[in-house]
Amino acid sequence: MLSLLLRPLRNAALVLLANDSSRQIAAGVAIGMVLGLVPKGNLIAVALGVALFGLKVNRSAGLLSAAAFSWMGAATDGFTHNLGAKALAVDGMQSTYAWLYELPLGPWIGFNNTVVLGSLLLGLYASYPCYLAAKLLLDRFQTPIAAWLKRRRVTRWLLGADLTTRFGTPLGIGVGS
């Protein structure tokens, strides 16, 4: 139960302490942002989840940003409904939407839902600025914050370093073994 409550804090610490580059963390944030904005329960959300776990990006950053942007996704439903309705009303795309809907998994894709399509378009439009902002912030602040976190005992406890050194040595599986 305690580990379930501490998991978000542990993931936040892992984002900054991981050996990933700022590009990988920023890409995870951008994919997580799109995943958070898109309503779940369709093939688009599944494909974004597969991309998050299949690409070489920071998964913790992606999951944290998906959780954060899920709250924003619900607040933008009115705007994304209007955006999706306008995108579905484009005359040149009607045959493409009909073809997608006729595919075996077509109804599950979600392009016939105005909120899903509008959220996807909004997420794709905002993904590059989100990537750039996250990369700039990480380039500036990741190293000092990581150094500060490494000096804190609570961070070592949160990541399990104290538990493994305390309980691992009597069992003969110490760090140097």
Side-chain angles (χ1 to χ4, degrees):
M1 177 70 178
L2 182 63
S3 68
L4 182 67
L5 295 173
L6 292 177
R7 186 170 292 150
L9 293 173
R10 183 178 179 165
N11 284 340
L14 281 174
V15 166
L16 295 170
L17 294 174
N19 288 330
D20 294 340
S21 68
S22 62
R23 292 179 10 192
Q24 290 173 334
I25 298 172
V29 169
I31 293 173
M33 187 246 344
V34 178
L35 178 62
L37 287 177
V38 172
K40 311 318 174 263
N42 54 50
L43 198 57
I44 295 170
V46 172
L48 288 168
V50 168
L52 178 64
F53 285 100
L55 297 174
K56 190 172 178 157
V57 298
N58 191 301
R59 292 177 189 96
S60 297
L63 291 174
L64 285 173
S65 66
F69 280 99
S70 289
W71 293 92
M72 188 185 299
T76 61
D77 277 350
F79 174 73
T80 56
H81 167 71
N82 292 335
L83 181 64
K86 288 181 182 179
L88 283 174
V90 173
D91 289 331
M93 292 294 292
Q94 295 300 318
S95 61
T96 304
Y97 293 137
W99 175 76
L100 282 172
Y101 193 77
E102 295 297 324
L103 290 174
L105 295 176
W108 194 39
I109 292 173
F111 275 133
N112 57 337
N113 188 339
T114 57
V115 176
V116 172
L117 183 59
S119 296
L120 178 65
L121 291 175
L122 177 66
L124 291 176
Y125 183 76
S127 64
Y128 188 66
C130 178
Y131 170 81
L132 283 180
K135 185 172 179 339
L136 289 173
L137 287 172
L138 286 165
D139 286 341
R140 173 86 171 123
F141 296 112
Q142 183 182 11
T143 305
I145 292 175
W148 183 81
L149 282 173
K150 284 180 182 176
R151 290 192 307 262
R152 303 294 171 236
R153 185 179 184 102
V154 70
T155 306
R156 291 193 309 269
W157 174 79
L158 189 63
L159 297 178
D162 281 347
L163 294 176
T164 57
T165 57
R166 230 182 252 165
F167 298 121
T169 307
L171 299 175
I173 49 174
V175 179
S177 300

